[in-house]
Amino acid sequence: MTVWRTTVLPPYTAQLRVYEPLAAFPEPDRARWQARAAAHGPDAEGPDRPVTAAALAEQRAALAELAALTPRPLPEQEDGRAYLRLLDGVLHVCPWTTRLRAWQALQELQRTLPAHLVDTVLPPALRAAAEAGRAHWQQEHPDARPWIASSRWEVPLHWFLPFGEEDRRHVPAGEYGSSGEDERPEPAALFYLTPMAQARRRVARAYRVLRERTPGGSLADGAEEVGRWLEEFHPRSLVELDYGGLARLLGPRALAEEHSVGELADGLGALRAGDAAAALRAYERLTARWRRVLALRQAS
C-alpha cells in the first residue's frame, strides 16, 4: 500500500459501505480483483478486522492532492483500488471509486458553502474542468453508483438502521499491531458488518413502523433513502458501517461505550409496541448525543 504522509490529520469521516461478492462484477473487473486478492492475500480482511488504516490512507491521499501547489480536486482516473473482505471463503469487494465520489463531494461543497469560500478553496476554472469531466464520464457510465457513502462529523441516524448489536465490532488501538506507517499502532475502530439480506429486512421493518407512526419524519425519509440505495446491490453483499475518523474524535472511553445502533433499535421496538413516550426519549437521547459531536466542528 502506498503511504501518504501529511501534517494534516485526516477528516472525522464515517463511511457506509457495500461489499459485493466477486461474482457480481463483470469481466475484466472480476479477474482484476481476483488477481489482487491472490497477490495480496492479507489485504482481504476477515469479518472481525477493521479496514480503518486503508480508509485513512485514502483520505491522506486526497488531502495530499488538495494541499498541492495547484490543488487537484479529482484524481486523474480511477485507480482500481478497493476494500476486500473474505467471508466463508467468498471474496467481497468494495471499490473505492474515488473519482466518482470526489465529483459528488464537489457538488455537495458547492451546495453547502458560500460561493466565495468555494472559490477560495477551489478556483472556478478547476471546478468547471471537473464538471466537464463528470458530464463526459457520466454519459459513458449512466448506471454508475458508489459503493461508499461518507458523512463528516457525525453518523446520520438512518445509517444505524441496517444493523443490530450483534454486528458490532469494537477494536482498541493496536490490537492488530502496527499499520505500517512509521510503526504506529493501528487506530482504534468501531464498525458494524452484516449480510445484505439482514440489512434490508431491518430497514424495511423500520420504515414500515416509522411511516405508520411518524409519517413525514426525517428518520422515515432516511430509512427510505438507505433502503433504496441497498436495493441497487447484489443480494449476497455485505453492508458495513465504519466510524472511521470519528473513533479518534470520540476518544477511547466514549467509543467503547458507543451503542447508538442498539439504542435506536430499542426506540423502534418501543414505537412498534405503541410506547411513543419511550420511543421519543430514545430518539432525543440519540439526537442530543450526535448534536454534541457535530458541534465539535466549530471548536478551535
Side-chain angles (χ1 to χ4, degrees):
M1 174 184 294
T2 301
V3 176
W4 296 86
R5 293 181 174 84
T6 94
T7 57
V8 181
L9 290 172
Y12 298 120
T13 302
Q15 292 187 340
L16 187 65
R17 309 186 188 109
V18 173
Y19 296 77
E20 292 193 275
L22 185 64
F25 293 87
E27 295 292 359
D29 293 339
R30 188 186 309 176
R32 183 175 72 250
W33 299 130
Q34 202 161 24
R36 178 185 161 185
H40 304 285
D43 284 351
E45 304 293 4
D48 295 319
R49 183 160 182 167
V51 297
T52 304
L56 293 179
E58 182 197 14
Q59 292 166 5
R60 287 191 177 99
L63 285 171
E65 296 288 348
L66 287 173
L69 187 60
T70 301
R72 290 174 57 190
L74 298 171
E76 291 296 326
Q77 58 185 8
E78 294 291 3
D79 63 5
R81 300 186 68 183
Y83 303 112
L84 304 178
R85 284 202 178 276
L86 193 63
L87 183 64
D88 297 330
V90 177
L91 181 67
H92 293 77
V93 181
C94 176
W96 285 6
T97 55
T98 306
R99 188 171 174 83
L100 174 59
R101 288 163 48 222
W103 274 320
Q104 294 177 329
L106 185 57
Q107 290 174 328
E108 180 188 354
L109 190 73
Q110 294 177 121
R111 287 195 304 268
T112 56
L113 285 183
H116 68 280
L117 289 181
V118 178
D119 289 346
T120 300
V121 176
L122 292 170
L126 282 177
R127 301 203 310 275
E131 178 58 27
R134 183 200 64 79
H136 177 73
W137 185 89
Q138 208 158 37
Q139 286 181 343
E140 298 180 349
H141 306 83
D143 299 323
R145 78 281 193 265
W147 285 258
I148 303 171
S150 299
S151 175
R152 297 182 303 277
W153 293 97
E154 64 173 340
V155 180
L157 294 190
H158 59 280
W159 282 17
F160 297 128
L161 294 174
F163 306 97
E165 272 295 294
E166 65 271 25
D167 302 320
R168 184 179 187 271
R169 274 87 165 173
H170 172 235
V171 183
E175 181 163 317
Y176 286 100
S178 71
S179 64
E181 182 181 340
D182 302 330
E183 298 302 316
R184 297 175 188 169
E186 281 204 358
L190 178 60
F191 69 100
Y192 292 77
L193 189 69
T194 198
M196 176 64 79
Q198 183 72 283
R200 287 176 177 171
R201 278 196 295 270
R202 288 178 177 135
V203 173
R205 288 190 70 204
Y207 179 63
R208 282 196 297 271
V209 70
L210 290 165
R211 184 184 57 187
E212 292 170 3
R213 305 296 174 88
T214 61
S218 60
L219 191 53
D221 291 343
E224 182 177 17
E225 175 189 316
V226 75
R228 289 183 183 278
W229 184 61
L230 294 178
E231 288 294 333
E232 297 186 19
F233 300 96
H234 193 281
R236 295 190 181 276
S237 300
L238 303 174
V239 186
E240 179 178 36
L241 169 60
D242 185 355
Y243 278 51
L246 292 181
R248 180 165 46 84
L249 180 65
L250 293 172
R253 180 174 177 179
L255 192 68
E257 297 173 353
E258 165 54 30
H259 290 274
S260 292
V261 164
E263 292 177 46
L264 183 56
D266 290 343
L268 288 170
L271 191 62
R272 197 173 289 113
D275 190 344
L280 181 61
R281 287 195 296 271
Y283 180 75
E284 288 178 342
R285 282 196 303 271
L286 282 170
T287 53
R289 177 186 309 151
W290 285 101
R291 282 196 198 104
R292 288 195 296 271
V293 175
L294 189 59
L296 293 174
R297 67 181 172 180
Q298 306 297 338
S300 59

